[in-house]
Amino acid sequence: MMSERLLEVKDLCTSFFTYNGEVKAVNHVSYYLDEQEIIAVVGESGCGKSVTQMSVMQIIQSPPGRIIGGEVLYKGKDLLKLTTEEMRSVRGAEIAMIFQEPMTALNPVITVGKQLTEVIRAHSSMNKKQAWAKAIESLEAVGIPDPEARMKNYPFEMSGGMRQRVCIAIAVACNSKIIIADEPTTALDVTTQAQVMELLQDAVDKYKKSVLVVTHNLGLVTRYAGRIYVMYAGQVVESGTTEALMTNPKHPYTVGLLKSVPSLEDERGKALVPIDGAPPNLAALPETCPFLPRCKYAAEKCRSRKKPELTLIDAETQHYTACYVELKEGLKDE
């Protein structure tokens, strides 16, 4: 018998109701996250990655946004049925979120120490002295040198990488079971990106946490994530183990993402292959496959049928794809 999932999102739908109509930002998205696991949600900007996670945390701005369907099961309990007060006790204490831009996630006019201790005290029974010690311990855990002195710094006195470490320290300090990292390496140099990803790996190995990484960089997460969900136009178009998606992608969009990532194995001077066109208007989604106008593998059945459903193609690797065209193995290397 399969053990209960730590987090399971089922058929989640979130829309923004605007003057131009209903924008279906999250369109029947499902995924799961188990204990001590790293998974990744990847895709272009505007594909619904971040809005999906903000829906899980119930921090969608309303109006115009509204969660209109689905379930978010955390340890078997549907978070969407919790009251505002009950959900507030889940955020931080059970599920922590590292936001995309640490300069806006951290208050620029409040010291790092005060922000850390406020969060710790909000989710524990610690007094000020205990929370201060815990905050220093958390900064030290994420590799910030001289953490006691850094507690007195303001965020603008730190580099982007340091600010991102502070955000990770906040997530670690609260003893949350899940860390959702929304584009945690945006605007960071490649060396710092690797360091941030190693910190998230440490959170799993040392602190027994589970991590969900949201990113547009497929190449960044392949070393760390066990499974990957590829999103396009507000829906999951392919998912499976990292090895399955990297070695045998079955959706043309995943193929395009892989071709757009540079590789050390490529010949010197080899040009990257962009994905032509632009994502569809989420306020006027077509009835056919949303990737159809950009797909160079499209067949007649793609144009005549309604959009394909996510279908299991390999039970062993839990490989799902939403595509009518059967792509050959190794197609990404053509």
Side-chain angles (χ1 to χ4, degrees):
M1 183 177 177
M2 184 180 292
S3 59
E4 186 177 79
R5 303 288 189 198
L6 180 61
L7 178 69
E8 188 168 13
V9 175
K10 294 182 177 181
D11 216 25
L12 183 64
C13 296
T14 300
S15 293
F16 291 87
F17 295 88
T18 70
Y19 291 115
N20 294 323
E22 180 184 357
V23 178
K24 296 180 178 179
V26 181
N27 198 1
H28 300 282
V29 169
S30 298
Y31 66 83
Y32 68 88
L33 175 66
D34 285 333
E35 296 269 2
Q36 285 186 254
E37 182 182 33
I38 298 179
I39 66 170
V41 178
V42 303
E44 293 170 289
S45 296
C47 72
K49 309 182 303 292
S50 297
V51 177
T52 298
Q53 308 318 318
M54 291 170 72
S55 300
V56 169
M57 300 293 284
Q58 293 184 51
I59 52 176
I60 296 292
Q61 185 175 341
S62 180
R66 191 165 79 238
I67 300 170
I68 59 176
E71 294 178 304
V72 177
L73 303 176
Y74 173 66
K75 295 181 177 179
K77 181 188 294 184
D78 189 356
L79 299 184
L80 299 185
K81 294 181 179 178
L82 299 184
T83 64
T84 302
E85 193 62 35
E86 288 172 334
M87 190 60 206
R88 190 175 290 123
S89 67
V90 171
R91 298 189 199 105
E94 299 288 341
I95 306 175
M97 190 164 183
I98 301 169
F99 291 95
Q100 187 166 348
E101 175 46 62
M103 194 61 221
T104 55
L106 298 170
N107 193 320
V109 297
I110 299 178
T111 63
V112 165
K114 185 170 177 58
Q115 293 186 64
L116 260 168
T117 53
E118 277 186 351
V119 173
I120 292 169
R121 294 193 69 193
H123 297 290
S124 71
S125 57
M126 293 183 186
N127 58 34
K128 282 186 178 181
K129 186 176 181 180
Q130 291 170 327
W132 188 266
K134 178 67 174 177
I136 292 173
E137 180 186 318
S138 299
L139 290 180
E140 188 175 21
V142 297
I144 292 183
D146 197 4
E148 193 162 0
R150 289 293 187 179
M151 290 280 283
K152 299 172 185 177
N153 287 156
Y154 291 90
F156 63 81
E157 297 178 297
M158 294 181 165
S159 66
M162 282 292 188
R163 290 196 293 266
Q164 195 62 284
R165 287 171 185 262
V166 171
C167 291
I168 296 173
I170 292 173
V172 170
C174 292
N175 298 319
S176 55
K177 293 290 292 181
I178 296 173
I179 296 176
I180 296 174
D182 185 7
E183 297 279 10
T185 58
T186 296
L188 301 179
D189 61 78
V190 290
T191 303
T192 308
Q193 286 181 3
Q195 291 171 351
V196 168
M197 291 305 300
E198 287 294 334
L199 286 174
L200 293 175
Q201 182 68 64
D202 284 346
V204 175
D205 297 337
K206 294 181 181 179
Y207 301 102
K208 315 300 182 187
K209 298 183 184 296
S210 299
V211 176
L212 186 154
V213 180
V214 174
T215 182
H216 63 274
N217 189 344
L218 190 56
L220 178 71
V221 295
T222 51
R223 177 181 171 185
Y224 303 94
R227 292 182 296 107
I228 294 176
Y229 292 84
V230 180
M231 285 190 68
Y232 184 78
Q235 65 189 67
V236 176
V237 295
E238 186 167 11
S239 66
T241 63
T242 300
E243 183 179 3
L245 264 67
M246 291 297 293
T247 60
N248 191 19
K250 290 297 185 182
H251 196 283
Y253 180 60
T254 309
V255 173
L257 290 177
L258 289 170
K259 284 185 174 181
S260 66
V261 176
S263 171
L264 292 175
E265 298 176 358
D266 290 341
E267 296 179 9
R268 187 178 181 86
K270 181 181 178 181
L272 296 178
V273 181
I275 302 175
D276 294 330
N281 180 359
L282 296 181
L285 285 170
E287 291 190 2
T288 55
C289 174
F291 191 62
L292 179 60
R294 308 174 71 185
C295 183
K296 63 180 181 180
Y297 306 109
E300 182 56 37
K301 56 187 173 183
C302 302
R303 300 179 179 88
S304 60
R305 299 181 187 177
K306 290 190 175 182
K307 72 174 184 178
E309 299 293 328
L310 203 60
T311 305
L312 179 65
I313 57 174
D314 188 334
E316 185 178 348
T317 59
Q318 286 295 290
H319 198 164
Y320 288 80
T321 188
C323 184
Y324 290 126
V325 179
E326 187 175 344
L327 300 185
K328 297 178 181 178
E329 189 171 348
L331 183 62
K332 70 183 182 68
D333 297 322
E334 289 181 3

